[in-house]
């Protein structure tokens, strides 16, 4: 089936809502709830995976429940020529949850998790030990007011 790249229709959005709201539901149950054939749901999911709309089906894990209740955002200033090596080194640090090359102040923004403030300091020290990282600036997260989400974009913004 050729991938359709011109957005989502209402059935696509309903399928996405159901797989997010009921992640353990099977295709047959989703099809029954939507009043369509199981093959239709499978085809929609296959197309959305092929289009890159759906990037994984894994469970969302809670850093807090895994013993990492403290989160922080750290901005790294780096030597531009070293970005690829720095990216690989950051990926090797389990507590680095995300890293993004950015414009504006700083060069790389990282979201990190730690067991406590001392552990956050240890993770920052690990990032500063990476060749090509010049300095960092870090802020501790106090609370999350809007968690990571993408569904509103699929719903039409």
């Amino acid at each position: 089936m050729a991938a359709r790249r011109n957005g989502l229709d209402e059935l696509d959005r309903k399928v996405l809502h159901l797989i997010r709201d009921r992640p353990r539901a099977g295709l047959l149950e989703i099809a029954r709830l939507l009043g369509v054939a199981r093959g239709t749901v499978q085809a929609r999911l296959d197309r959305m995976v092929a289009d890159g709309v759906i990037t994984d089906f894994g469970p969302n894990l809670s850093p807090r429940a895994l013993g990492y209740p403290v989160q922080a955002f750290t901005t790294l200033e780096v030597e531009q020529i070293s970005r690829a090596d720095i990216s690989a080194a950051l990926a090797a640090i389990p507590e680095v949850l995300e890293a993004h090359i950015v414009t504006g102040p700083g060069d790389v923004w990282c979201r990190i998790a730690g067991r406590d403030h001392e552990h956050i300091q240890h993770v920052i020290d690990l990032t500063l030990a990476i060749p090509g990282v010049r300095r960092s600036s870090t802020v501790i997260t106090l609370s999350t007011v809007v968690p990571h989400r993408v569904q509103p974009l699929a719903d039409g913004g």
Side-chain angles (χ1 to χ4, degrees):
M1 168 190 274
R4 187 179 79 206
R5 303 201 184 275
N6 60 352
L8 304 175
D9 64 16
E10 189 59 28
L11 182 56
D12 292 332
R13 288 184 194 90
K14 288 179 180 178
V15 169
L16 289 172
H17 274 279
L18 279 173
I19 63 172
R20 188 196 69 228
D21 295 344
R22 299 176 182 219
R24 298 176 122 192
L27 291 179
L28 197 55
E29 181 180 353
I30 292 170
R32 182 185 56 76
L33 291 167
L34 294 174
V36 298
R38 188 205 59 78
T40 299
V41 173
Q42 183 68 61
R44 295 297 181 114
L45 288 172
D46 290 346
R47 191 198 72 248
M48 288 188 278
V49 168
D51 287 352
V53 172
I54 297 174
T55 57
D56 79 52
F57 288 94
N60 295 319
L61 305 177
S62 165
R64 177 176 295 283
L66 292 171
Y68 298 83
V70 181
Q71 290 192 34
F73 290 92
T74 189
T75 304
L76 305 176
E77 291 183 23
V78 304
E79 295 172 5
Q80 299 300 310
I81 197 149
S82 302
R83 282 190 317 209
D85 293 335
I86 291 168
S87 297
L90 289 171
I93 301 171
E95 296 89 348
V96 174
L97 304 179
E98 298 178 61
H100 304 270
I101 294 174
V102 298
T103 62
D107 301 306
V108 180
W109 282 3
C110 302
R111 183 167 65 104
I112 60 177
R115 292 182 294 277
D116 51 35
H117 292 111
E118 290 78 20
H119 188 207
I120 291 290
Q121 181 62 59
H122 172 72
V123 175
I124 293 166
D125 291 344
L126 290 174
T127 65
L128 288 170
I130 298 169
V133 174
R134 289 190 221 134
R135 72 177 52 88
S136 72
S137 174
T138 303
V139 295
I140 300 291
T141 302
L142 298 177
S143 64
T144 300
V145 293
V146 178
H148 176 76
R149 62 190 183 147
V150 181
Q151 188 69 47
L153 297 176
D155 292 342

